[in-house]
Structure formats: structure tokens, C-alpha cells
Amino acid sequence: MSGGLVIKQLSLSFAHAGGLAAAVNACDLAVMPNEIVGLVGESGSGKSLTALACLGLTPPNCRISGSVQIAGTEIVGASEATLAPIRGRKIAMIFQNPMTALNPFFTIGEQMMGVIRRHFSVDINTARASVSGALAQSGLTDIALKKYPHQMSGGQLQRAMIAMAIACKPDILIADEPSTALDVTVQARILNLLRQLADQGMGILLITHDLGVVAQVADRVAVMYSGRIVETGDTDDIFSSAAHPYTLGLLQSSPVMGGGRRKMHAISGVVPDFRYRLSGCAFRDRCTHMQTICATEQVALKSLTPAHQVNCHFPIAQSSTAAKS
């Protein structure tokens, strides 16, 4: 497998009464073969919209700038003729809501075999064998082939969606909350499957709210807030040395096994409405480290180590180091 997913300065804007509003702002992100990158952040941070841009599936009223490349092929501005052979084969996506992603008028088998035969010149028996293998990987039997979406539970639909996404063995897989509707035993199986696929060469962008899932399977983590990547680094660095106050808040908000009856930390406030973007740092009104400059100036990603970058005027890691010295 060559190349990967490379996003550079991606911005996604929508027109409204007050002008243009940026839902995603100058996003830089990369997913290489053999790795899982966890993309985390609260709802409304722009994670799913970024994922849709990677497949050329942004809404018609969305204005897009920047670059998204799959193995060197530019996605931004590409025609449907260019995108058709890429979707499903070079890059595939496990959508967050399988009930709306699957066609209710066709069986699971018909839809999956249609994907296989769209990208490969194989007969129906070979396609069925590939579909059976993908279903088995996601924990479903061939019984699912003859079922319509409404005849399956939410968890079964989620696994069928996963099977459809991996059936063509794409170079890049975007998994948007792939384990939300699954019980813990099936979730463990799916996470193990994602790890196996990455070890076999696939690059995976894992979008999730579950930091426990990220800690378990991700090689790198990107933290998104209000349309920006505010921190990125190796998983160990993020969990042991979080530098952005928002990242630290997310970690402190997660339940801890054996934590007893202690009061769980919560980040005050909500993600700001992207239609009313303020100057300076978007997290400032929720930040316990906020200073005057945070209200007026935005800072670019700065490197703490070669693998660890943060978008903050006063990174916690630097402040802690300065305090110790």
C-alpha cells in the first residue's frame, strides 16, 4: 500500500445571515498505512464533517478550501468520475448511523455484493464469498445476506456497515463511532479487528468520544475543538502529558476504574456556535488558564516534541516544566 490520507489547511464554511461561518478551520491531519489515528472532541467540533470531506461528500452549500489527498489523488474539487473509483476502494467510511446509510429497499447481501462488483471484475459467487468473509470478520453469519436493514437490530446493522466498509479492503478506513451501538463483547471484537486491519497495512481514522477506546487501539491522537486541531501526538504523550487545557479536561472527565464515589470533573460551558466565531482562542471562555492574549490572538500549532504539537499560547506541559525549573 502506498501513500495515505493527508489533509492540509482544510476549511469548510457555510453561508448564513451574518456571512460565512467556518465549521472546520485550517485543519491539518494525516493518516498513514499501518496506523490508527484517534480523532476526539465533543459533538459539534467538526470531526464528522472533516470525515465527509475526505470522501467528497460535503453538503452542496458547503464551501471548501485546502487539500485532501488519498494516496496522492486530490479529493477537493474532484469530479464524480474521479471520486467514484476511489470511494469504497481507496477510502471507505463506517458511518455513524447505519440505518440512514443503508438502502432499505435492498438486502444486506445485495448492497454488499454491489460494492464488490462495482470495484472488481468478479462473478457473483466470488463476490458472495468476499461478502461472507467480511461479515464473518465483523461477527455476523451468512443469514444477514438475505435480511433487509429493518429486520436487523442496531448492533447488527452497525456490524453490517463495518463489513461493507472493509469488504473491498480499502487503503484508508474512516470509522465514525464504530462501536457506539455494540455491547462490550462485540465492541472488543471490532476493536481487535481494526487493530488487525491496521497491522495488515490499512490506515484508520477512528472518530470517537470514548477515550478508553482511543487508549486501547490508537497509535496517535488528534484532539479537535471548534473546527481546529488543538493538540496532536502519540497516544502515550497525549494521555501522560496533555498540553492543551481542553485535552486535559477531556481526560479528567473520563471515568476511572476504582475511582469510587469521587465527583467527576466536567468542562464548564459548551462548544461555541460556529456561526458566531470569536477572535482569539475558541476555548478561552471555558479555559482555566485563559489570559488576555487568548481573547485576541489565535496561535498556530507549535511543537513540544517532534511528535507532539499543541495549539495554545500557554501549554500545560511547558508551564509545568517552567514551574519545576
Side-chain angles (χ1 to χ4, degrees):
M1 185 187 301
S2 61
L5 168 65
V6 179
I7 303 172
K8 292 183 178 179
Q9 293 296 294
L10 178 68
S11 294
L12 304 171
S13 302
F14 296 87
H16 68 110
L20 274 181
V24 175
N25 197 340
C27 174
D28 288 331
L29 187 64
V31 182
M32 293 294 106
N34 295 101
E35 74 169 353
I36 299 177
V37 177
L39 182 59
V40 302
E42 293 169 278
S43 296
S45 295
K47 305 185 301 299
S48 295
L49 190 58
T50 300
L52 291 175
C54 294
L55 288 92
L57 295 177
T58 51
N61 62 336
C62 177
R63 299 190 186 183
I64 182 170
S65 64
S67 173
V68 177
Q69 293 192 357
I70 307 294
T73 300
E74 182 60 57
I75 302 301
V76 175
S79 65
E80 284 298 314
T82 300
L83 293 172
I86 293 175
R87 294 179 185 140
R89 182 64 188 93
K90 292 294 184 181
I91 182 170
M93 184 169 176
I94 302 169
F95 293 95
Q96 192 168 356
N97 187 349
M99 184 58 79
T100 59
L102 296 169
N103 193 320
F105 295 101
F106 296 94
T107 65
I108 299 299
E110 288 172 330
Q111 295 184 62
M112 292 188 66
M113 283 188 282
V115 172
I116 295 287
R117 301 189 75 185
R118 172 66 180 81
H119 292 287
F120 301 98
S121 299
V122 297
D123 58 39
I124 193 167
N125 291 327
T126 303
R128 184 179 288 109
S130 297
V131 168
S132 295
L135 287 171
Q137 282 184 292
S138 64
L140 293 174
T141 66
D142 283 357
I143 295 175
L145 288 170
K146 297 182 179 180
K147 286 191 175 183
Y148 289 88
H150 73 273
Q151 295 175 314
M152 303 177 74
S153 69
Q156 289 173 326
L157 282 176
Q158 188 71 16
R159 282 179 279 169
M161 186 80 254
I162 293 170
M164 185 177 294
I166 67 175
C168 291
K169 298 180 174 58
D171 295 347
I172 298 293
L173 176 66
I174 298 178
D176 192 355
E177 299 285 359
S179 58
T180 299
L182 307 178
D183 60 49
V184 290
T185 54
V186 178
Q187 181 187 77
R189 176 172 185 161
I190 295 303
L191 294 180
N192 286 335
L193 172 60
L194 294 180
R195 186 67 264 172
Q196 291 170 12
L197 292 171
D199 291 340
Q200 292 166 9
M202 191 178 292
I204 299 175
L205 179 62
L206 175 62
I207 300 173
T208 180
H209 292 89
D210 193 333
L211 292 174
V213 167
V214 171
Q216 184 178 341
V217 300
D219 301 296
R220 293 191 295 115
V221 181
V223 182
M224 195 170 213
Y225 183 78
S226 193
R228 283 185 179 272
I229 301 295
V230 297
E231 186 166 5
T232 181
D234 293 338
T235 302
D236 289 343
D237 288 339
I238 296 298
F239 278 81
S240 64
S241 306
H244 198 284
Y246 179 61
T247 306
L248 183 62
L250 290 178
L251 293 171
Q252 293 176 338
S253 300
S254 301
V256 178
M257 185 71 72
R261 298 175 64 87
R262 69 176 180 85
K263 184 177 180 180
M264 189 177 296
H265 172 79
I267 305 174
S268 61
V270 296
V271 177
D273 190 327
F274 72 88
R275 293 174 298 175
Y276 308 103
R277 185 76 64 190
L278 302 175
S279 60
C281 176
F283 187 63
R284 68 175 195 255
D285 292 337
R286 308 174 70 187
C287 182
T288 56
H289 296 71
M290 185 265 190
Q291 297 187 33
T292 304
I293 192 174
C294 302
T296 57
E297 295 185 23
Q298 179 61 256
V299 62
L301 279 170
K302 61 175 82 172
S303 295
L304 302 179
T305 69
H308 190 178
Q309 296 179 307
V310 63
N311 185 325
C312 182
H313 288 288
F314 307 101
I316 295 171
Q318 288 187 356
S319 298
S320 299
T321 303
K324 290 178 181 178
S325 61

